[in-house]
Amino acid sequence: FDEMKRIRLGDSWLFSTGGSSWARYMNEYNSRLGQGDNVYYLTRARAYADLWYEDRLRLYAEGIFAFTDWQDLPPLPSDENRADFLTLVVDLKVADGTYVRAGRQELLFGSQRLISPLDWANTRRTFQGVRGMYQSDEFDADLFWVQPVIPNPSRLDSVDNNQNFAGAWATYKPKKGTTADLYYLMLDNTNGMTQQRVTRAPFTLHTIGGRSAGDVDGTYLWDVEGAVQLGTLA
């Protein structure tokens, strides 16, 4: 499928397209902590279009088609998302190595312990907002403010306006394969939520942490992360 990649449109434009799909058979014994067995199927297809104007402007759109069949229990919110946008962003170059991204987007940082697209779920985790990105050979920096996009199988997805997620993430890369991260994350959720008589929200959380990852001569690998979390709950 090389003909679908890096298609030049004149001297300044570049276009690519593609996608992926999967089908999964699930057999869960004692599913969801004792609600019974659950045998079902998950299917997902993704397709994207990627358009660049030199290295100054980028338009990226990706659609998702996620379905589930024959579930013995009610489907989870992450099981279905019928014909929706997973990603719809504009990137604008504002300086050398510095871009601003606006729109619906995925976030992936560090070892994905805190922020990831959650690819194992049938629908991937995505957000909507703005992000500033700086990249160089030795140092990366990101600033973002977003709101989570809530999957809705019956109509187009929308954000949860009662949740705000913001952060700053810096990465130092002294050599190939070795990184050191410092980050600050803030999650504010004004929704009220109680599960099994435990109050889960509203809350405001501040997370300050760091991570070190790398290898010694390609023989020993390490990945260490620690953080402190402050805030208020209900």
Side-chain angles (χ1 to χ4, degrees), residues 27-101:
N27 188 336
E28 299 174 346
Y29 171 73
N30 212 19
S31 182
R32 305 179 196 174
L33 301 179
Q35 297 185 31
D37 300 342
N38 196 11
V39 179
Y40 58 100
Y41 293 89
L42 296 173
T43 54
R44 183 179 81 184
R46 296 161 53 199
Y48 72 85
D50 192 6
L51 180 65
W52 285 81
Y53 175 74
E54 298 177 349
D55 66 341
R56 303 179 185 179
L57 179 68
R58 182 190 187 193
L59 306 175
Y60 184 88
E62 182 174 1
I64 185 170
F65 309 84
F67 301 89
T68 184
D69 295 291
W70 304 305
Q71 292 222 25
D72 300 310
L73 299 175
L76 295 174
S78 60
D79 288 340
E80 290 186 289
N81 199 357
R82 305 169 187 169
D84 219 308
F85 282 107
L86 184 67
T87 305
L88 186 60
V89 295
V90 176
D91 287 357
L92 179 65
K93 183 178 181 180
V94 295
D96 288 341
T98 305
Y99 293 83
V100 173
R101 172 173 294 173

Side-chain angles (χ1 to χ4, degrees), residues 107 127-129 144-148 159-167 184-191 203-206:
L107 297 178
F127 302 88
Q128 195 160 295
F144 63 87
W145 169 80
V146 294
Q147 294 179 313
V159 299
D160 184 349
N161 291 311
N162 294 322
Q163 293 194 62
N164 289 279
F165 184 38
Y184 163 76
L185 307 172
M186 187 281 296
L187 177 60
D188 181 63
N189 184 349
T190 59
N191 292 303
F203 61 77
T204 301
L205 297 178
H206 305 271

Side-chain angles (χ1 to χ4, degrees), residues 5 8 14 33 87 100 124-125 146 158 185 189 220 224:
K5 310 297 181 184
R8 295 202 170 273
L14 192 69
L33 301 179
T87 305
V100 173
R124 290 164 65 100
R125 180 185 292 132
V146 294
S158 61
L185 307 172
N189 184 349
Y220 300 99
V224 181

Side-chain angles (χ1 to χ4, degrees), residues 8-13 54:
R8 295 202 170 273
L9 307 173
D11 296 331
S12 301
W13 295 89
E54 298 177 349

